[in-house]
Amino acid sequence: MYVCRSLTVCRLEHGLTDNNREMNENENISERMASNGHLILKTNFFTSFFALGLCPICILLLDITQVIPIVLLAFGILNTINIWSFSYHKDLVKTYYIATILTSATALIIILYSGGINSPFIFSLALIVVACYIDTNAYGWMLLIINYLVIIFIYTQSIPAYSFTKNVIPEHSKDVFALLSILFFVYISCGIFGKNLLQAHHKVYKAKNSLQQKVKETENLLREVHHRVKNNLQTVSSLLSMQARNSGNKETKVLLKSSQNRVISMAMVHEMLYMREDISKIDYESYVQELCEYLVRTIKGTSKNITLNVQIKEIKLNIDTAIPLGILINEIVTNSLKYGIQDESKGTISVLLTKEKEDKYILDIKDTGKGYTDDINYKTSKSLGLKLIHNLARQLQGSVFKDNSSQGTHYIIKFKEIKPKLPTLE
């Protein structure tokens, strides 16, 4: 019905719909892992390399011959096969889950047989949780809880009555084993995870700057659109004005002038949008004040007998609500100036807009003119203005009530702010 509804680009102001923002949790996990695929494979590679390298060191240099070298060898081989198989099935989620299970089981066994709660390998549990948080927040939280329980279980092994394991690390090798373990954990946490997080932070920073630049470009584009629409509407207004001047029929002149005022009321909305910092909503008090002053100048000329009382405090409306409401106000004020406060009579026009709750508003417009009886209504009258008032109120999901208890014409209109219906992406 209105020019603004043909401007699809204006829909960019309101962002994406909730349906477009919702994603399946499993898809989120897969996408997040895919983005961190290099990190997952790199971490698994170095973990396997460390396990296979530490195995002969334990046997030949540290005199650790029970359980631990066997577990390290088994983990190194199985995890290497796991990484190698990824090149065939290309399922990163499967690779990740298998690696997590292997790492957790290996870490638990080594911790139990290398000092329990005092084992340097206990830090590996924290690294596993960090890895899970980096890849999937949900599984990171779940694994954190599991690791709390595992640590409590490991602690029970320090109590002789509940212990079923023993420390297989010789006394003279404990410090070297701890050194190698800590060096590895520091490398994984700082050299791999820390470096990856720093790179991710840098990418996010660059993406944020790029997004801000795109938002700024989009806002400039929208401002240009509003500016062009305003200019086009002013051109239409000028054409209607020329047509009215060239018409010899008085009734035609009145109709053309009324149409011109309606076009101007729309042009003012676009003008205010491109001139202000917030291009999604306009300050409605300044808009209504300008609109009413324009109508007074147009209809009453230089007469100073009309007093305007506009009270709209801190209310901003989007374009989908501002334009139909502006035309509605235009019709009521025009009727007041033409038929209510006649000739050179003095009069007051009051416009009060208040927010009732959430997106519901009340518009109260009245004048001190002579008014009209209830026999004249939008159903029986041939006046386009009266029909527009009621049609526009319905478009705003509202209702019109005419109060006859005071002098003049008094409208009370309840309506809602219209939310734009955006096309869904399928």
Side-chain angles (χ1 to χ4, degrees):
M1 182 176 181
Y2 302 107
V3 175
C4 68
R5 294 193 178 279
S6 65
L7 300 173
T8 305
V9 68
C10 289
R11 302 300 188 186
L12 294 173
E13 300 171 14
H14 306 286
L16 297 174
T17 60
D18 289 338
N19 289 335
N20 292 332
R21 287 194 296 263
E22 292 179 357
M23 297 181 67
N24 183 272
E25 181 65 23
N26 290 333
E27 292 178 354
N28 275 335
I29 293 172
S30 298
E31 290 177 4
R32 196 166 177 182
M33 286 184 179
S35 65
N36 293 321
H38 177 71
L39 175 64
I40 294 172
L41 295 175
K42 184 177 180 180
T43 304
N44 281 325
F45 172 78
F46 277 102
T47 304
S48 299
F49 179 79
F50 170 77
L52 292 174
L54 187 58
C55 178
I57 292 175
C58 287
I59 297 173
L60 300 176
L61 300 179
L62 302 180
D63 294 329
I64 305 172
T65 58
Q66 300 180 46
V67 183
I68 292 178
I70 298 172
V71 172
L72 288 172
L73 180 62
F75 170 80
I77 294 173
L78 292 175
N79 203 37
T80 301
I81 294 173
N82 181 38
I83 298 171
W84 174 76
S85 63
F86 172 75
S87 60
Y88 290 92
H89 58 68
K90 300 297 182 182
D91 190 342
L92 191 63
V93 177
K94 182 189 293 184
T95 301
Y96 171 80
Y97 286 154
I98 294 173
T100 301
I101 294 170
L102 288 173
T103 305
S104 300
T106 301
L108 178 59
I109 295 172
I110 293 176
I111 290 168
L112 291 174
Y113 286 92
S114 62
I117 199 69
N118 296 313
S119 171
F121 241 83
I122 202 164
F123 293 108
S124 62
L125 299 178
L127 283 179
I128 295 170
V129 174
V130 170
C132 284
Y133 268 121
I134 291 175
D135 298 314
T136 60
N137 184 61
Y139 286 111
W141 176 251
M142 182 179 68
L143 197 59
L144 176 63
I145 295 174
I146 293 173
N147 275 358
Y148 273 128
L149 299 175
V150 169
I151 291 171
I152 293 172
F153 168 71
I154 292 171
Y155 173 75
T156 62
Q157 296 304 297
S158 64
I159 304 173
Y162 300 101
S163 177
F164 62 85
T165 60
K166 64 177 181 177
N167 189 346
V168 298
I169 308 292
E171 190 66 30
H172 64 275
S173 302
K174 285 183 179 180
D175 292 341
V176 178
F177 181 78
L179 174 64
L180 294 174
S181 301
I182 292 172
L183 287 176
F184 172 72
F185 298 144
V186 169
Y187 176 77
I188 293 293
S189 59
C190 300
I192 297 182
F193 289 160
K195 184 179 178 181
N196 178 77
L197 291 175
L198 185 62
Q199 291 175 343
H201 174 75
H202 182 64
K203 289 179 181 179
V204 169
Y205 179 77
K206 289 178 63 178
K208 180 183 177 182
N209 287 343
S210 176
L211 182 61
Q212 287 177 338
Q213 183 63 29
K214 288 180 180 179
V215 169
K216 187 175 181 181
E217 292 173 358
T218 301
E219 287 181 348
N220 290 336
L221 172 62
L222 290 171
R223 283 193 174 89
E224 179 65 22
V225 169
H226 288 303
H227 183 59
R228 289 174 182 266
V229 171
K230 187 267 297 185
N231 289 343
N232 290 339
L233 289 173
Q234 285 186 334
T235 301
V236 174
S237 173
S238 299
L239 292 173
L240 291 172
S241 180
M242 292 173 59
Q243 190 67 47
R245 287 197 300 270
N246 293 332
S247 175
N249 189 303
K250 185 177 180 180
E251 184 178 350
T252 301
K253 285 185 176 182
V254 172
L255 292 174
L256 289 172
K257 189 61 182 176
S258 296
S259 298
Q260 182 187 5
N261 290 342
R262 291 165 188 142
V263 171
I264 289 295
S265 71
M266 291 189 286
M268 283 184 178
V269 172
H270 291 282
E271 182 178 23
M272 288 190 167
L273 284 174
Y274 84 77
M275 290 180 63
R276 283 162 173 76
E277 184 176 349
D278 185 0
I279 61 173
S280 62
K281 294 190 175 185
I282 67 169
D283 179 7
Y284 219 63
E285 182 175 26
S286 58
Y287 166 72
V288 173
Q289 186 72 40
E290 288 184 29
L291 176 61
C292 292
E293 289 174 356
Y294 164 78
L295 293 173
V296 171
R297 290 195 305 270
T298 303
I299 298 173
K300 295 297 185 180
T302 58
S303 174
K304 296 183 179 180
N305 293 331
I306 304 299
T307 302
L308 292 174
N309 179 25
V310 177
Q311 297 182 41
I312 306 173
K313 298 299 181 183
E314 298 180 356
I315 290 180
K316 295 184 178 182
L317 298 174
N318 61 41
I319 191 172
D320 294 85
T321 306
I323 285 185
L325 185 62
I327 298 176
L328 188 151
I329 294 172
N330 172 83
E331 298 303 322
I332 296 176
V333 173
T334 298
N335 287 343
S336 295
L337 293 171
K338 282 184 177 181
Y339 310 114
I341 307 172
Q342 296 182 337
D343 302 325
E344 296 299 318
S345 302
K346 290 186 177 182
T348 301
I349 299 176
S350 299
V351 181
L352 174 65
L353 179 61
T354 56
K355 189 171 185 177
E356 191 176 23
K357 58 180 180 179
E358 296 180 0
D359 60 346
K360 295 182 180 179
Y361 298 83
I362 298 178
L363 175 65
D364 193 306
I365 304 183
K366 60 183 176 181
D367 62 56
T368 57
K370 70 173 187 177
Y372 62 91
T373 64
D374 288 339
D375 295 336
I376 303 174
N377 56 64
Y378 75 99
K379 293 181 179 179
T380 59
S381 174
K382 294 182 180 180
S383 169
L384 177 61
L386 286 178
K387 295 182 184 296
L388 272 176
I389 291 170
H390 287 267
N391 288 338
L392 290 166
R394 282 199 298 269
Q395 182 179 330
L396 293 168
Q397 300 177 23
S399 58
V400 181
F401 172 71
K402 184 171 175 288
D403 185 1
N404 296 320
S405 61
S406 58
Q407 179 189 352
T409 304
H410 184 190
Y411 283 107
I412 299 174
I413 300 166
K414 295 183 178 182
F415 67 95
K416 293 182 179 180
E417 183 172 18
I418 303 301
K419 303 298 181 183
K421 292 182 179 179
L422 303 177
T424 57
L425 301 176
E426 295 184 359

